[in-house]
Amino acid sequence: MRDLVAGTGYLGKGQRWVARHGRWWGFGMIPALIALVLYAGALVALAFFAGDLASWATPFADGWGSPWQGLLRGLFVALLFAGGLLLSVLTFTAVTLLIGDPFYESLSEGVEESEGDCPPGPGLPLWRELWISLRDSVHVLLRAAGFGLLFFALGFIPVVGQTVVPAIGFCVSGFFLTVELTSVAMQRRGIPVRERLRMLRGRKALAVGFGTPLVLLFLVPFVAVFLMPGAVAGATLLVRDLTGEGEEAVEEEGTGETGGVTAAPSSGPSPARW
């Protein structure tokens, strides 16, 4: 429970950080706005063709009478669009980070410097960093897509499919969204994607507490544009916790807790800003 609350706390801390540094917040909305326009067009197209896709995917129901054919295909359309929304939330972050990679890297560095120290980074050329980001995002999204297909199938189970399954789906989506958002600070530390997943699995509640509220908020039109800079800032602070550099990790070290992650001493001060 402590990690769950802490994860949500990092979301608030990130938003407060960009609120105090207004220029970062303003510039951070530009790549998110570009991505939003692209995704809005894709979702409109999905909504327009969803009925045709439902008819194509359920040919066995062509001879069904009313209301069963309409109920089945209506459920298919609802699940298809819900799946599209969740997939959009996950891929939106990856695409936005790719579009704004140089900016978000600078933003994340600014957050770390304000906390006392910033890792120097791998010193790779920009094209190489973009390629690594793209490769890692595909790796994460393929894993997320596997869960998405599973939840889509489970959605046809009466009652459970419309209550329990969506709730679990939002939590899983929140976990993978956290993986995406922490990639900027993780990549600076040279941590490969499989190790990132292992670290966040060791602190699932922390990742879910940070990412799930964002998943829900990103479903509201235009909210993602305003929250994206703060989400990157909060994810950077969360990574400092995972690697033993943030104040939460320092507090746990003092009580003999590490959350399953090997803590590394910070090379600089970590003032109590929050």
Side-chain angles (χ1 to χ4, degrees), residues 50-64 68-77 79 152 156:
D52 294 334
L53 288 172
S55 299
W56 172 80
T58 58
F60 56 85
D62 287 343
W64 291 12
W68 306 115
Q69 183 190 85
L71 287 174
L72 174 66
R73 289 179 173 170
L75 177 60
F76 185 93
V77 168
L79 291 172
F152 181 81
F156 287 95

Side-chain angles (χ1 to χ4, degrees), residues 8-203:
T8 306
Y10 280 123
L11 179 57
K13 292 176 182 180
Q15 300 304 324
R16 289 197 294 273
W17 192 92
V18 295
R20 294 200 307 268
H21 303 78
R23 69 184 185 91
W24 289 114
W25 182 70
F27 284 114
M29 291 193 295
I30 295 174
L33 184 59
I34 294 172
L36 180 67
V37 171
L38 296 174
Y39 276 88
L43 287 173
V44 168
L46 177 62
F48 185 79
F49 292 105
D52 294 334
L53 288 172
S55 299
W56 172 80
T58 58
F60 56 85
D62 287 343
W64 291 12
S66 179
W68 306 115
Q69 183 190 85
L71 287 174
L72 174 66
R73 289 179 173 170
L75 177 60
F76 185 93
V77 168
L79 291 172
L80 180 65
F81 196 74
L85 281 174
L86 288 176
L87 185 61
S88 295
V89 170
L90 292 172
T91 57
F92 177 87
T93 301
V95 171
T96 303
L97 290 174
L98 285 173
I99 293 173
D101 183 80
F103 165 80
Y104 290 127
E105 176 65 30
S106 298
L107 187 156
S108 180
E109 288 178 0
V111 173
E112 301 225 51
E113 288 170 357
S114 73
E115 291 298 301
D117 65 284
C118 178
L124 299 174
L126 178 60
W127 71 267
R128 179 65 176 169
E129 291 184 1
L130 290 174
W131 167 249
I132 293 174
S133 297
L134 178 61
R135 183 193 63 193
D136 292 350
S137 293
V138 170
H139 179 88
V140 173
L141 291 173
L142 286 176
R143 287 173 175 257
F147 281 100
L149 290 174
L150 174 62
F151 292 139
F152 181 81
L154 294 176
F156 287 95
I157 301 175
V159 183
V160 174
Q162 293 76 54
T163 54
V164 177
V165 172
I168 297 175
F170 278 121
C171 291
V172 172
S173 298
F175 174 85
F176 284 111
L177 182 58
T178 301
V179 175
E180 284 289 350
L181 286 167
T182 55
S183 64
V184 178
M186 292 280 200
Q187 188 171 323
R188 184 184 306 113
R189 290 164 170 78
I191 302 174
V193 64
R194 287 181 174 82
E195 178 65 12
R196 299 173 203 168
L197 287 165
R198 186 196 67 78
M199 292 171 68
L200 287 167
R201 281 197 298 266
R203 302 281 296 276

